[in-house]
Structures are given as structure tokens and as C-alpha cells.
């Protein structure tokens, strides 16, 4: 049995002080991240250079002593490993060769070949498993199939995921084939991360909020349930955090429906609502608005305490409702952590 606080919370323990980490904790708000990224040259080179990816993963642990480190990589590396070209437009974001026809789905690489591209990621995990402080939990991750499919179909990020919805509603067979290929590959990718030393897995369904009704069941719940049951069959006891961002009422029962040990909550719902409706089923993670890392001050302290107090009676991992942004002030992160640990 381990004493790592995050693993205890994920087993359902209510702790006097919630463990804490932060989405995008390695990122552009940190000067040391910007320096290592400049050394790597570009973002994808940083992801695929194990020593540098491990270094930026460790930076926020050294600076702040977070209870968890999240592997530095990106959700789009997995679809890239299936064949489509991926690049990042400076100041704009990811771009990807699109997959929208059955012929293109059939031309994707077989799942067994993804490791050729992704082996540097497993090496980063191995370095981290060796170099992290004993008390720090190592989190591996992947995107959920729906969120990955939105980038594969549109070739880029989009606010409303219109292209993916269109394919889903006009060519269900092709859309379903994309979801199935990504689901299968994600199991292999995450399983390899666990073998390399990841102790917890997080599934990011950043665009789950645009799936409504039966679509939410079919494309947010079902693929997550398949991935989680396959991973738990191979790695008994592996704790898994699911993040169906902006799911709203879809958060209710999500842990039970998918087998996740913890549901990460965004900040479009209140912590009081999430405590009453989601934490009753087990561990929750969240959900301070990331804007407070930019604005700081009294509002940061007040809202941090509000989140801690709302979730106090059950298992909770403190986090932001979404990733910290480049404009954030590193001092505000210190203030948030002190507020949580002294609450
Ligand atoms: O340095 C840079 O300029 C690149 C910025 C950046 C960073 C730091 C990107 C590009 N990805 C990352 C790292 C990253 N991405 C991590 C590392 C671990 C961490 O510190 O948290 C993780 C877990 C992700 C996951 C990720 N990538 C998601 C899911 C979580 C979320 O934010 O909703 C998504 C949607 C992506 C795609 C992506 N990669 C990068 C950007 C800017 C985006 C979003 C594109 C869009 O707006 O659609």
C-alpha cells in the first residue's frame, strides 16, 4: 500500500487536505518552460525529446511541490502515430491532415505500429518514474476518442466541433470507424505508458460538452467505458480520472457508467453542485476557474477556499477547471497552493 495522497484520494479516502496538481502545470506561464521549449526549438520536438520533456514535467514539481506530475506530451501525438501529419501553427494551434472518408480510415496505420512514433513518450515516462520525488504521483494521459476525432476530422481545433458533428450525422459508418480505431489505439498507448511507469491515467474529453443526449452516451460514455475496462483488465487496480469537460448534467453518474475512479469537473458548474451530484459517487477533481491564476488577490483566496470547503466531506483532488493559461502569474499559483494547504 502506498501513502501517495493522490492514490489515497482515488481509492475513495477523504483527506484533511486535498492533494493538488494543475492542468497544464508545465507551460508557457513558467519562464523555465519557455527556456527549455526554446532549447527544443518547437513544441513537437519538445514532446519527442525525452530528456527535455521530462525536464519540463519536473519544473513545476521543483518550483511548487505539486502532489502529481503529468507527463509532458499532447493528446494529438496518438492520431499522428496513426499516420496523419501534425504540425503547430505559431500563435494559432494544432493543424492535422484530415480523415473524413472510409478510404482514409482504412489507410491509417495498424495499431501495432503506433509505438514506432510514440516510443520517445514511453522513454519520458521511464525517466520520470526514476527521477520524481517518492511522494509525487505520475499521471499519464490521452485524449478521449470524441475529442481526438474532432481534430482528425476538422484538421484543427474549433469552437463548436461542427465538422465532426456533420460527419457523425451524415456518414455514421465512417465516423464510427474513426472512433473505433482511436479507441483501440488509445488502449495500447495508455497501456504502454502504464508499463513504463505511469501510476494514474487521465482521459481528456475536452469537447464532450458539445455531445448531447444519445450522442453523449454513444461517443463520450461508451468509448471511455471501453478504454477503462480494457485498461483495468490488463492493469488491475489502475486508477483512472475521466474529464468529460462541460458535460453539465452528463457528469452525474459518469464515474459509474464508465468505471472511472474520479471525475474531473470544469468550472462551468459550481463546486457545491458537483459535491452534491458527482462527489456522492466517489472522488472528484477540480474546479477553480483558471482565470484566478491571472487575476489573483482576494478573489483567488476566496474561490480557492470555496472549492476546498465544498468538497471537504468526500474524496477530492484540488485542480483548476481547465488548463492554466500563458498569461498566468506564477506567484498566484503559490498563493493558491498555500491557501489549499492552510485551509
Ligand atoms: O508550448 C506551446 O506553445 C504549446 C502549448 C501546449 C502545451 C503546453 C500544447 C499545444 N500542448 C501542451 C501540453 C499538453 N497538452 C499537456 C501536458 C501536460 C500538462 O502540463 O498538463 C496536456 C495534458 C495536453 C492535453 C491537450 N492538448 C488537450 C486536452 C486538455 C485541454 O486543454 O482541454 C487538448 C485539447 C490539446 C490540444 C492542444 N495542444 C496544444 C494546444 C494549444 C491545444 C488546444 C488546441 C485547441 O484550442 O483546440
Amino acid at each position: 500500500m502506498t501513502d501517495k495522497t493522490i492514490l489515497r484520494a482515488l481509492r475513495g479516502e477523504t483527506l484533511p487536505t486535498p492533494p493538488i496538481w494543475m492542468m497544464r502545470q508545465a507551460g508557457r506561464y513558467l519562464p523555465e518552460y519557455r527556456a527549455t521549449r526554446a532549447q527544443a526549438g518547437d513544441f513537437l520536438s519538445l514532446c519527442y525529446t525525452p530528456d527535455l520533456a521530462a525536464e519540463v514535467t519536473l519544473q513545476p514539481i521543483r518550483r511548487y511541490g505539486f502532489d502529481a506530475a503529468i507527463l509532458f506530451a499532447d493528446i494529438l501525438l496518438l492520431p499522428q502515430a496513426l499516420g496523419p501529419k501534425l504540425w503547430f501553427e505559431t500563435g494559432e494551434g494544432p493543424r492535422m491532415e484530415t480523415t473524413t472518408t472510409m478510404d482514409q480510415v482504412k489507410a491509417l496505420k495498424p495499431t501495432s505500429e503506433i509505438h514506432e512514433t510514440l516510443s520517445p513518450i514511453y522513454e519520458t515516462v521511464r525517466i520520470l518514474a526514476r527521477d520524481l520525488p517518492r511522494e509525487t504521483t505520475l499521471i499519464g494521459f490521452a485524449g478521449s476518442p470524441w475529442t481526438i476525432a474532432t481534430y482528425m476530422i476538422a484538421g484543427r481545433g474549433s469552437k463548436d466541433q461542427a465538422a465532426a458533428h456533420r460527419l457523425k450525422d451524415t456518414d455514421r459508418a465512417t465516423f464510427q470507424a474513426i472512433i473505433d480505431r482511436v479507441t483501440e489505439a488509445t488502449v495500447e498507448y495508455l497501456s504502454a505508458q502504464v508499463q513504463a511507469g505511469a501510476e494514474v491515467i487521465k482521459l481528456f474529453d475536452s469537447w464532450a460538452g458539445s455531445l448531447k443526449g444519445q450522442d453523449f452516451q454513444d461517443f463520450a460514455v461508451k468509448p471511455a467505458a471501453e478504454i477503462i475496462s480494457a485498461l483495468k483488465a490488463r492493469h488491475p487496480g489502475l486508477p483512472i480520472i475521466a474529464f468529460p469537460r462541460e458535460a453539465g448534467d452528463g457528469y452525474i453518474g459518469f464515474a459509474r457508467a464508465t468505471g472511472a475512479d474520479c471525475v474531473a469537473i470544469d468550472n462551468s458548474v459550481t463546486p457545491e453542485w458537483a459535491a452534491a451530484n458527482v462527489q456522492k459517487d466517489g472522488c472528484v477533481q477540480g474546479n477553480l476557474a483558471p482565470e484566478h491564476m491571472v487575476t489573483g488577490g482576494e478573489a483567488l483566496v476566496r474561490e480557492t477556499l470555496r472549492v476546498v470547503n465544498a468538497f471537504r466531506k468526500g474524496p477530492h483532488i484540488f485542480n483548476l477547471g481547465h488548463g492554466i493559461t500563458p498569461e498566468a502569474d506564477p506567484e498566484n499559483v503559490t498563493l493558491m497552493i498555500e491557501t489549499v494547504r492552510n485551509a
Side-chain angles (χ1 to χ4, degrees):
M1 276 303 196
T2 167
D3 287 319
K4 294 189 184 189
T5 48
I6 292 210
L7 299 180
R8 289 169 62 190
L10 288 168
R11 285 198 300 264
E13 237 184 277
T14 303
L15 299 166
T17 299
I20 178 167
W21 68 281
M22 198 172 65
M23 279 186 267
R24 293 280 168 95
Q25 62 191 18
R28 281 176 295 172
Y29 74 106
L30 288 179
E32 58 268 38
Y33 170 85
R34 294 195 298 268
T36 310
R37 190 178 180 287
Q39 194 187 337
D42 62 82
F43 174 68
L44 283 174
S45 303
L46 179 54
C47 291
Y48 285 117
T49 309
D51 286 336
L52 297 182
E55 166 59 23
V56 294
T57 306
L58 289 164
Q59 285 167 351
I61 308 305
R62 285 191 207 113
R63 185 190 267 256
Y64 298 116
F66 283 116
D67 296 289
I70 183 160
L71 163 69
F72 189 85
D74 195 82
I75 63 165
L76 300 177
L77 305 185
L78 176 75
Q80 182 190 30
L82 288 169
K85 288 194 171 52
L86 171 69
W87 68 103
F88 281 78
E89 292 287 350
T90 315
E92 287 191 41
R95 296 288 182 273
M96 172 157 257
E97 233 170 23
T98 59
T99 304
T100 56
T101 67
M102 196 59 98
D103 283 345
Q104 287 170 329
V105 177
K106 288 185 178 141
L108 293 172
K109 290 186 194 166
T111 297
S112 59
E113 286 177 22
I114 63 171
H115 307 301
E116 287 167 22
T117 303
L118 296 169
S119 59
I121 310 307
Y122 313 144
E123 180 57 21
T124 306
V125 174
R126 278 189 290 271
I127 295 171
L128 290 167
R130 185 192 70 203
D131 289 354
L132 274 169
R134 294 173 56 89
E135 66 276 14
T136 313
T137 302
L138 178 55
I139 303 176
F141 73 92
S144 289
W146 160 250
T147 288
I148 296 298
T150 67
Y151 289 95
M152 291 176 77
I153 294 163
R156 55 184 298 167
S158 60
K159 276 244 173 300
D160 52 6
Q161 298 82 56
H165 282 288
R166 209 177 310 120
L167 190 69
K168 161 174 68 62
D169 297 337
T170 59
D171 184 355
R172 185 61 69 119
T174 300
F175 177 78
Q176 185 69 55
I178 295 172
I179 293 287
D180 291 345
R181 281 304 321 274
V182 174
T183 300
E184 179 191 275
T186 299
V187 170
E188 298 306 321
Y189 179 41
L190 291 175
S191 194
Q193 290 183 28
V194 173
Q195 277 168 355
E199 300 172 281
V200 171
I201 288 297
K202 181 167 176 184
L203 271 176
F204 285 92
D205 210 349
S206 302
W207 302 119
S210 75
L211 290 169
K212 304 296 178 198
Q214 191 60 39
D215 280 348
F216 185 81
Q217 293 306 315
D218 293 343
F219 303 118
V221 175
K222 189 165 172 281
E226 286 171 11
I227 291 166
I228 291 170
S229 83
L231 285 174
K232 286 189 180 255
R234 290 193 205 180
H235 311 281
L238 173 70
I240 299 173
I241 303 169
F243 183 35
R245 189 168 75 91
E246 293 187 359
D249 285 345
Y251 280 128
I252 303 172
F254 196 83
R256 252 176 302 139
T258 59
D261 301 272
C262 176
V263 180
I265 310 279
D266 75 90
N267 50 285
S268 70
V269 298
T270 68
E272 294 80 13
W273 179 89
N277 292 288
V278 190
Q279 196 186 30
K280 67 180 171 54
D281 292 335
C283 188
V284 290
Q285 177 178 284
N287 74 337
L288 182 70
E291 293 74 23
H292 291 294
M293 299 302 102
V294 181
T295 53
E298 215 180 295
L300 182 163
V301 173
R302 185 182 63 238
E303 291 304 309
T304 298
L305 289 173
R306 179 181 169 193
V307 170
V308 172
N309 286 326
F311 292 123
R312 191 153 237 157
K313 295 200 182 81
H316 176 217
I317 299 168
F318 191 95
N319 205 304
L320 303 179
H322 200 198
I324 188 170
T325 56
E327 305 75 40
D329 180 347
E331 293 291 328
N332 289 333
V333 177
T334 306
L335 179 59
M336 171 184 73
I337 294 172
E338 281 172 359
T339 304
V340 171
R341 293 194 170 149
N342 296 318

